[in-house]
Amino acid sequence: MRRTTILAVLALVLLPCTAVAGSVGVGAFGGLGIPIVQDDNGQGMLYGARVPVSVLPLLTVEPYLLMGSGGDKEQEIGGTTYTRTGLDMTGFGANVLLTFGGPFQFYPFAGIGSCKLTRDGSEDETGVAYNLGLGLGISPMPKLTVHLRGEAIAAVDGEVSRKWAAVTLGASYAVFSFPVP
């Protein structure tokens, strides 16, 4: 009896979700990447594209493409100061967002992908990229959402990792909707 009651309550809670439509959108973003504990890389710009796919009312999967470049950094080695150019970064992957709210959204997200770091022919590293953060979405009109995000990014290549804090601002537009079962 107790099991039947729990299943009935769960069905009643999930019933409104069947009428909600999912969506596929396109978006762009840009922002600032701040290296964490990297003596050879300065802060720089990040930008890219996202494709948010709302598969359930509270769940969005978001493939992304990321590009960026670190700023130049001065280093003192043996009493001589050198200027190193910043790392260039390209990457792709997918985030999972737990979106709460309607026109005003708050969402934690996490993602995994691949990241390539290069520096003027002297460095060429490819590894797994992990990211974790919080986002705020404001929808001023149907289908359009403006996103502000703060996140931590870690690019791991074997035993070596590079980490960044990032703040990005972007927008996405829901191109088409589909019914969610």
Side-chain angles (χ1 to χ4, degrees):
M1 179 68 179
R2 181 176 180 188
R3 184 177 185 191
T4 306
T5 305
I6 292 172
L7 288 175
V9 169
L10 185 60
L12 287 173
V13 168
L14 294 176
L15 187 61
C17 296
T18 60
V20 176
S23 65
V24 176
V26 294
F29 67 93
L32 184 63
I34 304 160
I36 300 172
V37 191
Q38 294 184 47
D39 294 337
D40 64 343
N41 193 32
Q43 73 182 30
M45 298 301 296
L46 299 174
Y47 55 94
R50 296 179 176 130
V51 180
V53 180
S54 177
V55 292
L56 293 172
L58 295 177
L59 183 67
T60 300
V61 176
E62 182 182 68
Y64 67 86
L65 174 65
L66 170 72
M67 293 167 273
S69 60
D72 294 348
K73 184 79 173 202
E74 289 187 359
Q75 276 187 299
E76 187 174 325
I77 301 174
T80 305
T81 301
Y82 296 95
T83 300
R84 297 192 71 178
T85 58
L87 289 168
D88 292 328
M89 178 175 19
T90 56
F92 62 91
N95 292 324
V96 175
L97 289 69
L98 296 175
T99 53
F100 302 101
F104 185 77
Q105 299 175 344
F106 172 76
Y107 51 90
F109 64 94
I112 188 168
S114 177
C115 183
K116 182 175 182 175
L117 304 172
T118 58
R119 181 194 323 261
D120 289 342
S122 65
E123 272 185 67
D124 190 2
E125 304 169 10
T126 301
V128 178
Y130 302 97
N131 61 324
L132 178 68
L134 294 173
L136 181 64
I138 299 170
S139 187
M141 57 193 278
K143 296 189 175 192
L144 178 67
T145 305
V146 177
H147 301 273
L148 176 63
R149 296 184 184 186
E151 65 185 293
I153 303 168
V156 181
D157 180 18
E159 295 179 12
V160 179
S161 70
R162 290 189 177 263
K163 299 167 191 72
W164 289 266
V167 177
T168 61
L169 181 65
S172 64
Y173 183 79
V175 179
F176 63 89
S177 298
F178 56 90
V180 176

